[in-house]
PDB file of all heavy atoms in Angstrom:
ATOM      1  N   LYS L   1       3.641  -7.994   1.231  1.00 88.00           N
ATOM      2  CA  LYS L   1       4.414  -7.409   0.130  1.00 88.00           C
ATOM      3  C   LYS L   1       4.321  -5.874   0.094  1.00 88.00           C
ATOM      4  O   LYS L   1       5.048  -5.244  -0.688  1.00 88.00           O
ATOM      5  CB  LYS L   1       3.924  -7.991  -1.224  1.00 88.00           C
ATOM      6  CG  LYS L   1       4.267  -9.525  -1.357  1.00 88.00           C
ATOM      7  CD  LYS L   1       3.697 -10.071  -2.641  1.00 88.00           C
ATOM      8  CE  LYS L   1       4.035 -11.568  -2.783  1.00 88.00           C
ATOM      9  NZ  LYS L   1       3.479 -12.401  -1.712  1.00 88.00           N
ATOM     10  N   ALA L   2       3.425  -5.319   0.902  1.00 91.00           N
ATOM     11  CA  ALA L   2       3.294  -3.867   1.028  1.00 91.00           C
ATOM     12  C   ALA L   2       4.387  -3.287   1.861  1.00 91.00           C
ATOM     13  O   ALA L   2       4.612  -2.014   1.879  1.00 91.00           O
ATOM     14  CB  ALA L   2       1.934  -3.500   1.581  1.00 91.00           C
ATOM     15  N   VAL L   3       5.120  -4.122   2.579  1.00 87.00           N
ATOM     16  CA  VAL L   3       6.185  -3.640   3.463  1.00 87.00           C
ATOM     17  C   VAL L   3       7.480  -3.539   2.668  1.00 87.00           C
ATOM     18  O   VAL L   3       7.918  -4.502   2.065  1.00 87.00           O
ATOM     19  CB  VAL L   3       6.410  -4.652   4.651  1.00 87.00           C
ATOM     20  CG1 VAL L   3       7.476  -4.096   5.565  1.00 87.00           C
ATOM     21  CG2 VAL L   3       5.151  -4.944   5.362  1.00 87.00           C
ATOM     22  N   ASN L   4       8.040  -2.341   2.645  1.00 89.00           N
ATOM     23  CA  ASN L   4       9.262  -2.055   1.818  1.00 89.00           C
ATOM     24  C   ASN L   4       9.125  -2.788   0.458  1.00 89.00           C
ATOM     25  O   ASN L   4       9.953  -3.642   0.108  1.00 89.00           O
ATOM     26  CB  ASN L   4      10.496  -2.594   2.558  1.00 89.00           C
ATOM     27  CG  ASN L   4      10.683  -1.911   3.894  1.00 89.00           C
ATOM     28  OD1 ASN L   4      10.474  -0.720   4.020  1.00 89.00           O
ATOM     29  ND2 ASN L   4      11.020  -2.686   4.936  1.00 89.00           N
ATOM     30  N   PRO L   5       8.139  -2.389  -0.357  1.00 92.00           N
ATOM     31  CA  PRO L   5       7.820  -3.152  -1.570  1.00 92.00           C
ATOM     32  C   PRO L   5       9.017  -3.145  -2.540  1.00 92.00           C
ATOM     33  O   PRO L   5       9.734  -2.162  -2.689  1.00 92.00           O
ATOM     34  CB  PRO L   5       6.640  -2.423  -2.164  1.00 92.00           C
ATOM     35  CG  PRO L   5       6.653  -1.079  -1.524  1.00 92.00           C
ATOM     36  CD  PRO L   5       7.222  -1.271  -0.172  1.00 92.00           C
ATOM     37  N   THR L   6       9.169  -4.287  -3.231  1.00 91.00           N
ATOM     38  CA  THR L   6      10.219  -4.404  -4.270  1.00 91.00           C
ATOM     39  C   THR L   6       9.601  -4.626  -5.634  1.00 91.00           C
ATOM     40  O   THR L   6      10.316  -4.862  -6.584  1.00 91.00           O
ATOM     41  CB  THR L   6      11.141  -5.613  -3.952  1.00 91.00           C
ATOM     42  OG1 THR L   6      10.365  -6.806  -3.781  1.00 91.00           O
ATOM     43  CG2 THR L   6      11.949  -5.364  -2.671  1.00 91.00           C
ATOM     44  N   ASN L   7       8.254  -4.567  -5.718  1.00 92.00           N
ATOM     45  CA  ASN L   7       7.602  -4.708  -7.030  1.00 92.00           C
ATOM     46  C   ASN L   7       6.349  -3.866  -7.066  1.00 92.00           C
ATOM     47  O   ASN L   7       5.883  -3.380  -6.028  1.00 92.00           O
ATOM     48  CB  ASN L   7       7.326  -6.173  -7.310  1.00 92.00           C
ATOM     49  CG  ASN L   7       6.541  -6.835  -6.220  1.00 92.00           C
ATOM     50  OD1 ASN L   7       5.552  -6.303  -5.731  1.00 92.00           O
ATOM     51  ND2 ASN L   7       6.992  -7.972  -5.720  1.00 92.00           N
ATOM     52  N   ILE L   8       5.772  -3.764  -8.270  1.00 94.00           N
ATOM     53  CA  ILE L   8       4.608  -2.939  -8.468  1.00 94.00           C
ATOM     54  C   ILE L   8       3.406  -3.429  -7.612  1.00 94.00           C
ATOM     55  O   ILE L   8       2.648  -2.665  -7.041  1.00 94.00           O
ATOM     56  CB  ILE L   8       4.189  -2.919  -9.970  1.00 94.00           C
ATOM     57  CG1 ILE L   8       5.081  -1.908 -10.753  1.00 94.00           C
ATOM     58  CG2 ILE L   8       2.751  -2.461 -10.165  1.00 94.00           C
ATOM     59  CD1 ILE L   8       4.801  -0.480 -10.501  1.00 94.00           C
ATOM     60  N   MET L   9       3.219  -4.749  -7.560  1.00 93.00           N
ATOM     61  CA  MET L   9       2.121  -5.290  -6.806  1.00 93.00           C
ATOM     62  C   MET L   9       2.170  -4.787  -5.368  1.00 93.00           C
ATOM     63  O   MET L   9       1.207  -4.330  -4.824  1.00 93.00           O
ATOM     64  CB  MET L   9       2.153  -6.845  -6.876  1.00 93.00           C
ATOM     65  CG  MET L   9       0.920  -7.519  -6.218  1.00 93.00           C
ATOM     66  SD  MET L   9       1.113  -7.709  -4.440  1.00 93.00           S
ATOM     67  CE  MET L   9      -0.193  -8.850  -4.119  1.00 93.00           C
ATOM     68  N   GLY L  10       3.323  -4.976  -4.718  1.00 93.00           N
ATOM     69  CA  GLY L  10       3.497  -4.541  -3.331  1.00 93.00           C
ATOM     70  C   GLY L  10       3.292  -3.055  -3.171  1.00 93.00           C
ATOM     71  O   GLY L  10       2.696  -2.567  -2.236  1.00 93.00           O
ATOM     72  N   ALA L  11       3.836  -2.283  -4.143  1.00 96.00           N
ATOM     73  CA  ALA L  11       3.728  -0.824  -4.091  1.00 96.00           C
ATOM     74  C   ALA L  11       2.243  -0.378  -4.213  1.00 96.00           C
ATOM     75  O   ALA L  11       1.828   0.574  -3.573  1.00 96.00           O
ATOM     76  CB  ALA L  11       4.543  -0.198  -5.220  1.00 96.00           C
ATOM     77  N   THR L  12       1.492  -1.102  -5.079  1.00 97.00           N
ATOM     78  CA  THR L  12       0.058  -0.685  -5.208  1.00 97.00           C
ATOM     79  C   THR L  12      -0.698  -1.026  -3.931  1.00 97.00           C
ATOM     80  O   THR L  12      -1.594  -0.283  -3.555  1.00 97.00           O
ATOM     81  CB  THR L  12      -0.606  -1.395  -6.387  1.00 97.00           C
ATOM     82  OG1 THR L  12      -0.548  -2.812  -6.250  1.00 97.00           O
ATOM     83  CG2 THR L  12       0.044  -0.996  -7.753  1.00 97.00           C
ATOM     84  N   LYS L  13      -0.356  -2.140  -3.254  1.00 96.00           N
ATOM     85  CA  LYS L  13      -1.043  -2.471  -2.047  1.00 96.00           C
ATOM     86  C   LYS L  13      -0.687  -1.475  -0.919  1.00 96.00           C
ATOM     87  O   LYS L  13      -1.551  -1.119  -0.107  1.00 96.00           O
ATOM     88  CB  LYS L  13      -0.694  -3.887  -1.641  1.00 96.00           C
ATOM     89  CG  LYS L  13      -1.282  -4.972  -2.578  1.00 96.00           C
ATOM     90  CD  LYS L  13      -2.775  -4.932  -2.630  1.00 96.00           C
ATOM     91  CE  LYS L  13      -3.432  -5.658  -1.473  1.00 96.00           C
ATOM     92  NZ  LYS L  13      -4.931  -5.784  -1.627  1.00 96.00           N
ATOM     93  N   ARG L  14       0.560  -1.016  -0.883  1.00 95.00           N
ATOM     94  CA  ARG L  14       0.926   0.026   0.094  1.00 95.00           C
ATOM     95  C   ARG L  14       0.119   1.308  -0.230  1.00 95.00           C
ATOM     96  O   ARG L  14      -0.323   2.033   0.673  1.00 95.00           O
ATOM     97  CB  ARG L  14       2.410   0.251   0.064  1.00 95.00           C
ATOM     98  CG  ARG L  14       2.901   1.394   1.040  1.00 95.00           C
ATOM     99  CD  ARG L  14       2.478   1.086   2.464  1.00 95.00           C
ATOM    100  NE  ARG L  14       2.800   2.210   3.348  1.00 95.00           N
ATOM    101  CZ  ARG L  14       2.087   2.532   4.409  1.00 95.00           C
ATOM    102  NH1 ARG L  14       1.027   1.791   4.733  1.00 95.00           N
ATOM    103  NH2 ARG L  14       2.451   3.571   5.188  1.00 95.00           N
ATOM    104  N   SER L  15      -0.047   1.631  -1.508  1.00 96.00           N
ATOM    105  CA  SER L  15      -0.823   2.777  -1.900  1.00 96.00           C
ATOM    106  C   SER L  15      -2.274   2.640  -1.420  1.00 96.00           C
ATOM    107  O   SER L  15      -2.885   3.600  -0.954  1.00 96.00           O
ATOM    108  CB  SER L  15      -0.790   2.935  -3.434  1.00 96.00           C
ATOM    109  OG  SER L  15       0.497   3.092  -3.924  1.00 96.00           O
ATOM    110  N   CYS L  16      -2.796   1.425  -1.532  1.00 97.00           N
ATOM    111  CA  CYS L  16      -4.175   1.203  -1.033  1.00 97.00           C
ATOM    112  C   CYS L  16      -4.275   1.425   0.462  1.00 97.00           C
ATOM    113  O   CYS L  16      -5.268   2.015   0.917  1.00 97.00           O
ATOM    114  CB  CYS L  16      -4.603  -0.231  -1.307  1.00 97.00           C
ATOM    115  SG  CYS L  16      -4.755  -0.653  -3.068  1.00 97.00           S
ATOM    116  N   GLU L  17      -3.266   1.063   1.215  1.00 95.00           N
ATOM    117  CA  GLU L  17      -3.206   1.277   2.662  1.00 95.00           C
ATOM    118  C   GLU L  17      -3.212   2.821   2.926  1.00 95.00           C
ATOM    119  O   GLU L  17      -3.931   3.309   3.819  1.00 95.00           O
ATOM    120  CB  GLU L  17      -1.984   0.678   3.260  1.00 95.00           C
ATOM    121  CG  GLU L  17      -1.970  -0.845   3.237  1.00 95.00           C
ATOM    122  CD  GLU L  17      -0.697  -1.433   3.862  1.00 95.00           C
ATOM    123  OE1 GLU L  17       0.219  -0.665   4.218  1.00 95.00           O
ATOM    124  OE2 GLU L  17      -0.612  -2.674   3.980  1.00 95.00           O
ATOM    125  N   LEU L  18      -2.445   3.565   2.135  1.00 95.00           N
ATOM    126  CA  LEU L  18      -2.409   5.029   2.327  1.00 95.00           C
ATOM    127  C   LEU L  18      -3.775   5.635   2.019  1.00 95.00           C
ATOM    128  O   LEU L  18      -4.224   6.567   2.731  1.00 95.00           O
ATOM    129  CB  LEU L  18      -1.363   5.642   1.389  1.00 95.00           C
ATOM    130  CG  LEU L  18       0.101   5.237   1.678  1.00 95.00           C
ATOM    131  CD1 LEU L  18       1.022   5.804   0.601  1.00 95.00           C
ATOM    132  CD2 LEU L  18       0.555   5.661   3.055  1.00 95.00           C
ATOM    133  N   ILE L  19      -4.469   5.117   0.944  1.00 96.00           N
ATOM    134  CA  ILE L  19      -5.788   5.630   0.623  1.00 96.00           C
ATOM    135  C   ILE L  19      -6.780   5.401   1.754  1.00 96.00           C
ATOM    136  O   ILE L  19      -7.548   6.265   2.111  1.00 96.00           O
ATOM    137  CB  ILE L  19      -6.278   4.984  -0.715  1.00 96.00           C
ATOM    138  CG1 ILE L  19      -5.467   5.483  -1.852  1.00 96.00           C
ATOM    139  CG2 ILE L  19      -7.777   5.233  -0.912  1.00 96.00           C
ATOM    140  CD1 ILE L  19      -5.657   4.744  -3.164  1.00 96.00           C
ATOM    141  N   ILE L  20      -6.735   4.207   2.318  1.00 95.00           N
ATOM    142  CA  ILE L  20      -7.675   3.838   3.364  1.00 95.00           C
ATOM    143  C   ILE L  20      -7.411   4.663   4.632  1.00 95.00           C
ATOM    144  O   ILE L  20      -8.340   5.124   5.281  1.00 95.00           O
ATOM    145  CB  ILE L  20      -7.521   2.307   3.696  1.00 95.00           C
ATOM    146  CG1 ILE L  20      -8.106   1.480   2.535  1.00 95.00           C
ATOM    147  CG2 ILE L  20      -8.221   1.938   4.958  1.00 95.00           C
ATOM    148  CD1 ILE L  20      -9.509   1.829   2.139  1.00 95.00           C
ATOM    149  N   GLU L  21      -6.138   4.862   4.941  1.00 93.00           N
ATOM    150  CA  GLU L  21      -5.817   5.675   6.132  1.00 93.00           C
ATOM    151  C   GLU L  21      -6.293   7.092   5.904  1.00 93.00           C
ATOM    152  O   GLU L  21      -6.814   7.787   6.842  1.00 93.00           O
ATOM    153  CB  GLU L  21      -4.282   5.661   6.353  1.00 93.00           C
ATOM    154  CG  GLU L  21      -3.713   4.351   6.748  1.00 93.00           C
ATOM    155  CD  GLU L  21      -4.179   3.900   8.134  1.00 93.00           C
ATOM    156  OE1 GLU L  21      -4.417   4.744   8.955  1.00 93.00           O
ATOM    157  OE2 GLU L  21      -4.281   2.680   8.364  1.00 93.00           O
ATOM    158  N   SER L  22      -6.163   7.626   4.682  1.00 94.00           N
ATOM    159  CA  SER L  22      -6.598   8.974   4.382  1.00 94.00           C
ATOM    160  C   SER L  22      -8.146   9.085   4.450  1.00 94.00           C
ATOM    161  O   SER L  22      -8.668  10.060   5.030  1.00 94.00           O
ATOM    162  CB  SER L  22      -6.163   9.357   2.967  1.00 94.00           C
ATOM    163  OG  SER L  22      -6.698  10.593   2.568  1.00 94.00           O
ATOM    164  N   MET L  23      -8.838   8.089   3.957  1.00 96.00           N
ATOM    165  CA  MET L  23     -10.332   8.110   3.950  1.00 96.00           C
ATOM    166  C   MET L  23     -10.839   8.057   5.399  1.00 96.00           C
ATOM    167  O   MET L  23     -11.893   8.612   5.666  1.00 96.00           O
ATOM    168  CB  MET L  23     -10.871   6.986   3.109  1.00 96.00           C
ATOM    169  CG  MET L  23     -10.724   7.177   1.624  1.00 96.00           C
ATOM    170  SD  MET L  23     -11.557   5.944   0.620  1.00 96.00           S
ATOM    171  CE  MET L  23     -11.494   6.747  -0.995  1.00 96.00           C
ATOM    172  N   ASN L  24     -10.173   7.319   6.219  1.00 95.00           N
ATOM    173  CA  ASN L  24     -10.618   7.185   7.590  1.00 95.00           C
ATOM    174  C   ASN L  24     -10.686   8.495   8.322  1.00 95.00           C
ATOM    175  O   ASN L  24     -11.503   8.728   9.221  1.00 95.00           O
ATOM    176  CB  ASN L  24      -9.751   6.195   8.353  1.00 95.00           C
ATOM    177  CG  ASN L  24     -10.307   5.860   9.741  1.00 95.00           C
ATOM    178  OD1 ASN L  24     -11.335   5.245   9.904  1.00 95.00           O
ATOM    179  ND2 ASN L  24      -9.627   6.406  10.773  1.00 95.00           N
TER     180      ASN L  24
END
């Protein structure tokens, strides 16, 4: 659901991916 998200849940999970990539 993080791929091309159409809802808040998917958008928050994509945000989590961005946070993890940044922290790495």
Side-chain angles (χ1 to χ4, degrees):
K1 293 175 178 64
V3 185
N4 300 320
T6 55
N7 53 49
I8 283 285
M9 186 275 195
T12 59
K13 292 298 279 187
R14 178 59 186 147
S15 301
C16 294
E17 293 179 354
L18 296 175
I19 289 168
I20 290 305
E21 293 293 330
S22 172
M23 286 187 167
N24 186 69

